[in-house]
Amino acid sequence: MKRPVLFTSVLLVVATAGMYAIDPGREVVRVPRPDPDMLATVVASVEELDALRSELAASFEGEPDASTFARVCKPVGARSQELADEHGWKVRQLALKNRNPANTLDPDAELVYRMMDATPDIMGLWVWAEREGQEGFRYYRRIVVERSCLACHGAKEERPAFIKEGYPDDRAYGFRPGDLRGVYSVFVPAERETPHSE
Ligand code: HEC
């Protein structure tokens, strides 16, 4: 039997009986029970990434330049890659208004982004998902704009020269504190031998 096409808007529902995914076609599909240590490690790692960026952004004063960038968003990208390599995850930071086009939202992430944008109370979300032919758990966490971000993500005209020159297609400006800046996304491939449905 052909498996149902998953999982653009599949929400995981945690029930005492187990975990189920509800797909847009309303089919109820059994998904593997996630390892609690994995869930905890992913959440903690993303919190670490977010705290790293906040601390770095808050730690500098004055005119940002290319060397400041090297101290703010670059280490966050480097740490994301380290986590991905260390655990076998895919770790991304995705945005609708992105600066680096490599950080464009895929359709699943765009759905979650729009949901988080419309519903500020949603901090994070676990989804049973498919990425590049693999199934697994995907975690999203909101990225919120802080005052210290505005030096580089505030008014268009006030962006540092290295950004204006280095990112001709930049869309990551005009934000205000509290705005949704984007989403962290961590995809954890499931074991191949644990099918989610018959
Ligand atoms: C010193 C300048 C600077 C500061 C301060 C800064 N950023 Fe960035 N940010 C950048 C640059 C440059 C990029 C593009 C990085 C790349 O090429 O991948 C970026 C990329 C990002 C991205 C990846 C998505 C995209 O648009 O490509 C996110 C998310 C992000 N920044 C959030 C923040 C947040 C949240 C803060 C404040 C806590 C912040 N930034 C502070 C310069 C800055």
Side-chain angles (χ1 to χ4, degrees), residues 53-54 57 60 64-65 68-69 72-73 93-95 97-101 103 143-146 148-153 160 162-163 167 172 181-182:
R53 179 172 11 234
S54 290
F60 74 86
D65 58 17
T68 319
F69 163 61
V72 180
C73 287
Q93 33 180 343
L94 307 169
K97 290 168 67 179
N98 52 61
R99 177 153 291 164
N100 183 340
N103 299 327
I143 304 175
V144 181
V145 175
E146 297 163 26
S148 58
C149 314
L150 301 187
C152 298
H153 296 293
F162 85 93
I163 290 178
Y167 298 88
R181 173 68 182 85

Side-chain angles (χ1 to χ4, degrees), residues 70-136:
R71 304 204 315 262
V72 180
C73 287
K74 217 173 170 184
V76 177
R79 183 68 191 127
S80 302
Q81 195 52 51
E82 272 175 28
L83 286 167
D85 294 344
E86 196 178 319
H87 297 282
W89 304 335
K90 296 186 203 308
V91 183
R92 308 294 310 279
Q93 33 180 343
L94 307 169
L96 189 65
K97 290 168 67 179
N98 52 61
R99 177 153 291 164
N100 183 340
N103 299 327
T104 300
L105 294 161
D106 57 87
D108 289 358
E110 181 165 350
L111 211 84
V112 172
Y113 172 91
R114 291 192 185 281
M115 192 159 74
M116 287 186 166
D117 200 23
T119 315
D121 298 346
I122 301 177
M123 284 301 300
L125 188 69
W126 281 101
V127 176
W128 177 248
E130 190 180 320
R131 299 286 293 146
E132 296 158 19
Q134 271 184 306
E135 292 182 327

